[in-house]
Amino acid sequence: MSDSRPLPHVTVDELYLAAELTGDSNATATPAVAEYALWLGDDALILSQQLGGWIAHAPELEEDVALGNIALDLLGHARSLLHYASTAWAGTADGRSEDDLAYFRDEPEFRSAWLFEQPNGDFAQTIARQLAASAYMFELYSALRTSEDATLSAVAEKALKEVDYHRDHAVQWTLRLAGGTEESRRRMIRAVRDVWPYVDELFRDEPLIDELDSIAVRPSTLRAGFDTAIAAVFAEAELETPDVKASSGGGRRGSHFPAMGHLLAEMQVLARQHPGASW
């Protein structure tokens, strides 16, 4: 006998997605705090988009899943931070949602650092970028937990637990590639050298930081912890820290790496072609 009971009606529109966000949903960011939240949110958003490109293309099935999960973690961080940033426009004629900030800003309005904008390249290139990014984020969120801004502190507390896994994943792959075949080691050495010019920008103290004493983390204070963590990994992998000139990187001021425009075009095309669409 068939079951004649009606099927439940469920749509995505009925889900309270805002409940996934971290922090006080009623908190309102000042313009300066919103700008800082964009720094961190854009870093996470752009890196998430980059890692999503490996799904179905990673060297093994397990990596499809692992990189996809890391990308989703980062997307969650980006959602919380962009949502908080959006509160600075609440009640104004220029009101913006987290989706508006992700999909309807033009390139000069983004604040991501150049490291996160580097193309995936081969798998070694992605791992080198991920090693630097996750080591930096681990130091950042460790320090941001003590922020006097309750929302930023809450985001950092949650993100740190996930970034700790991201860092371990990158470390294990760095060791595996550096200690594998001659070809994998050659590619890992090249990847580290290609990525390292973009590390310095992460630790530059922009004027905004002076406005956010006890709220933001001063980037330069994170460099020592980052260098110590990377040195330990490189010592085990028998890699050398590249002696390379730092890039001019001006992502915090809206000046981006050339590949950024192509990445945004891919990320934003659906939302811009069908503004206001829902499913």
Side-chain angles (χ1 to χ4, degrees):
M1 179 182 294
S2 62
D3 190 340
S4 60
R5 291 176 297 179
L7 294 174
H9 176 66
V10 178
T11 70
V12 173
D13 291 339
E14 293 176 12
L15 299 178
Y16 291 95
L17 297 180
E20 299 175 6
L21 302 176
T22 302
D24 182 357
S25 60
N26 296 316
T28 300
T30 66
V33 170
E35 177 75 2
Y36 183 63
L38 288 179
W39 282 22
L40 310 189
D42 287 350
D43 285 349
L45 178 65
I46 297 305
L47 186 55
S48 175
Q49 175 72 11
Q50 300 274 41
L51 291 175
W54 278 105
I55 297 174
H57 293 88
E60 57 189 38
L61 181 60
E62 186 176 356
E63 277 308 295
D64 280 348
V65 176
L67 292 176
N69 282 336
I70 292 172
L72 287 173
D73 287 343
L74 292 166
L75 187 60
H77 307 167
R79 283 201 65 204
S80 292
L81 290 160
L82 295 186
H83 173 76
Y84 188 36
S86 75
T87 63
W89 288 276
T92 69
D94 191 33
R96 293 182 172 187
S97 68
E98 65 190 78
D99 283 347
D100 292 331
L101 291 174
Y103 299 123
F104 294 98
R105 278 183 296 160
D106 293 328
E107 183 177 328
E109 297 178 274
F110 276 79
R111 296 293 179 261
S112 48
W114 282 22
L115 174 72
F116 304 96
E117 299 166 9
Q118 295 309 296
N120 284 336
D122 64 15
F123 190 66
Q125 191 87 7
T126 289
I127 291 302
R129 184 188 65 201
Q130 191 64 19
L131 177 67
S134 58
Y136 158 72
M137 287 179 161
F138 184 85
E139 299 299 325
L140 168 68
Y141 290 130
S142 293
L144 193 60
R145 289 181 299 170
T146 62
S147 171
E148 290 187 3
D149 185 293
T151 298
L152 292 177
S153 176
V155 171
E157 190 70 48
K158 180 178 185 295
L160 181 63
K161 299 170 185 176
E162 296 168 342
V163 168
D164 191 20
Y165 161 72
H166 303 172
R167 184 180 63 161
D168 182 66
H169 176 268
V171 168
Q172 295 307 315
W173 267 110
T174 299
L175 297 176
R176 185 174 176 182
L177 292 173
T181 64
E182 289 185 11
E183 178 65 9
S184 71
R185 180 170 179 79
R186 181 187 71 79
R187 288 181 180 240
M188 194 68 228
I189 292 172
R190 181 185 67 187
V192 169
R193 186 172 183 83
D194 288 348
V195 163
W196 235 247
Y198 307 104
V199 168
D200 188 68
E201 182 189 4
L202 302 174
F203 305 100
R204 294 177 189 164
D205 294 335
E206 298 285 346
L208 175 67
I209 298 300
D210 295 330
E211 301 179 40
L212 297 174
D213 185 43
S214 75
I215 291 177
V217 176
R218 184 164 292 276
S220 60
T221 64
L222 305 176
R223 188 64 193 255
F226 173 90
D227 286 344
T228 297
I230 292 297
V233 177
F234 282 3
E236 187 172 352
E238 297 182 349
L239 296 171
E240 294 182 1
T241 302
D243 182 13
V244 293
K245 183 179 179 180
S247 76
S248 60
R252 303 307 190 201
R253 299 182 299 276
S255 176
H256 295 284
F257 191 73
M260 179 69 162
H262 298 287
L263 184 148
L264 290 180
E266 180 179 284
M267 185 179 81
Q268 297 179 335
V269 61
L270 183 62
R272 290 188 178 230
Q273 286 187 347
H274 304 281
S278 62
W279 51 83

